[in-house]
Amino acid sequence: MSYSVVWFKRDLRLHDHASLTAAAERGPVLCLYVVEPSLWQHDDAAAQHLAFVLEALQDVDKALRKRGGQLHVRVGELTQVLQDLFEAAPFTALFAHEETGNDPSFQRDKAVGFWCQSNGVHWQEFAQFGVVRRLRSRNHWQAHWEAHMALDALPVPELHCQPAPWADQAWPVADHICKDPHNPSRRQVGGRREALAVLSEFITERCAQYRGGISSPLSAPTACSRLSPYLAYGCLSMREVVQATDRRLAALPEEATRQRAGLSNFISRLHWHCHFIQKLESEPELEWRNLHPGYDGLREGDFNPAHLDALINARTGWPMVDACVVMLRETGWLNFRMRAMLVSVAAYPLWLHWRPVGLWLARQFLDYEPGIHWSQLQMQSGTTGINTTRVYNPIKQAKDHDSKGHFVRRWLPAMRRVPDTWLFEPWRMPPEVQAHCGVQVGIDIPMPLVDLDVATREAKTRLHSLRAQPDVKAGKARIVDKHGSRKRPTGKPRKSARTAPGKAAPHTMTSSPTDDQMTLEF
């Protein structure tokens, strides 16, 4: 009897799973996840990512076993695993979700397509987010997003599970597979059960803190939704999150202004999530090449490995920067504004090219989503050619968002002995103050790598002089046409099937994508 294989990738759930539903309608299914060493040993992967995935796979397996099946987890390269399975028990179809991932995953998908064609296997993929394959024009992207989110979320289908032709293997251990063993003990736990709990807590309680609370690293851990890793690995579908938020908005009384404002802001950021992934889908090269070629050579020739090493090891000398690096290293998470500040400091005063910085941050961010990550790295570094230059002063950010020093003192123990007077610029402490508080600048607390004001001014001058060149200006129009948002004016939603009595109006992108949104955290 013929059967279909459902290949799980970054869609680790059974609910609202289009490929699983389509396969189940066809007949028996075998559910497969393949741990591919070539992907997990790539420079943007760390053990924390695979450990999170394995936790999520446990939830998928438990749900399948309740329905008389199981999730088969194999280690190997995807086409070889498919070949071994096909030789042992030929299947007729392969179903999966589309993935806008890094270049190795893109090359892998092309190899899978060739394998399916060569073996007469029908391969069908389904949209995972509001991202459109082979999008011809950005003009209609918003309508595509609305249409995708308006579809009813799919229930878990009735399953007739196909037994595997092989003996079960022990599931792999993350740090045995990944080249980078980084796996913070205080990171979020993977799986649908955890994801549903976080979603419920956010839309019913924590959303009141969202507007106004997500900028400071002190309030952001509870004010932010914390849903980003669960969306990145598909423990929840984007449609589930949008529709759950819609329902909550519709149920809230008008006087619940803080909750309504928070959830409305959150919905807007979900638009931007897909907007940025669409950029990588439409132009995969932006993962490693400047989006605007006019910026080629801007930083590459001046790369200073000592600056990158100091940044990675939280030794830049700017307390807010170093504290953020430590928090990120210990938890796998950092709020959006502090992520933007890290990239800004790397790109301007430290004058580092975005690619090596981005690879390091990809391994640090538990919620690493390639489409958003690389678009944002380039945007914050000023190489898109279409975004306003945004430079974050780490001293000002500390004064604005950690005025009492609670954050930096939590993550940098030496700062606990520094008097408030010298909190923001401890390297200026007189020798007698250092002796009194038992902190030696240059040893306990590093000196800043560069003069912040001078280095930032020089960096901006170099960038802006290049931006003013005629050929660089001329290249801007192409990028705007291909990647620029088509944001409708706030307060003028497009008529849509989503508008119905008791439901929220169609969504608009009301917050600017350049307003500090760094990577995936909402």
Side-chain angles (χ1 to χ4, degrees), residues 26-56:
R26 188 182 177 105
V29 300
L30 185 148
C31 295
L32 176 69
Y33 184 88
V34 180
V35 177
E36 302 163 81
S38 62
L39 267 62
W40 289 109
Q41 292 171 11
H42 190 60
D43 288 340
D44 63 353
Q48 66 164 338
H49 300 132
L50 181 53
F52 185 93
V53 164
L54 292 171
E55 291 161 357

Side-chain angles (χ1 to χ4, degrees), residues 7-12 33 96-97 99 108-109 125:
W7 170 29
F8 285 78
K9 296 193 282 185
R10 292 170 73 107
D11 51 358
L12 306 181
Y33 184 88
H97 274 115
E99 179 180 357
R108 181 271 320 274
D109 283 357
E125 293 182 285

Side-chain angles (χ1 to χ4, degrees), residues 126-154:
F126 296 84
Q128 165 87 324
F129 295 129
V131 176
V132 183
R133 284 272 164 98
R134 293 171 288 279
L135 180 67
R136 292 186 177 182
S137 170
R138 268 283 180 167
N139 293 335
H140 305 295
W141 181 84
Q142 176 80 7
H144 281 294
W145 193 94
E146 289 286 354
H148 181 81
M149 300 307 158
L151 295 173
D152 291 337
L154 297 167

Side-chain angles (χ1 to χ4, degrees), residues 186-208:
R186 287 188 274 183
R187 65 165 172 80
Q188 288 177 267
V189 176
R192 183 171 176 83
R193 182 173 57 181
E194 291 283 343
L196 289 170
V198 172
L199 173 62
S200 176
E201 183 188 40
F202 173 69
I203 64 176
T204 59
E205 301 173 23
R206 293 187 291 107
C207 61

Side-chain angles (χ1 to χ4, degrees), residues 36 64 114 123 187 198 240 253 258 267 283 440:
E36 302 163 81
L64 285 170
F114 180 78
W123 184 25
R187 65 165 172 80
V198 172
E240 286 183 287
R258 289 183 61 82
I267 284 284
E283 194 157 350
Q440 190 172 352

Side-chain angles (χ1 to χ4, degrees), residues 64-84:
L64 285 170
R65 287 181 185 273
K66 289 179 181 178
R67 293 164 173 81
Q70 70 178 100
L71 179 67
H72 300 279
V73 177
R74 309 292 287 187
V75 177
E77 298 309 318
L78 199 284
T79 52
Q80 186 60 55
V81 172
L82 293 178
Q83 182 66 35
D84 293 345

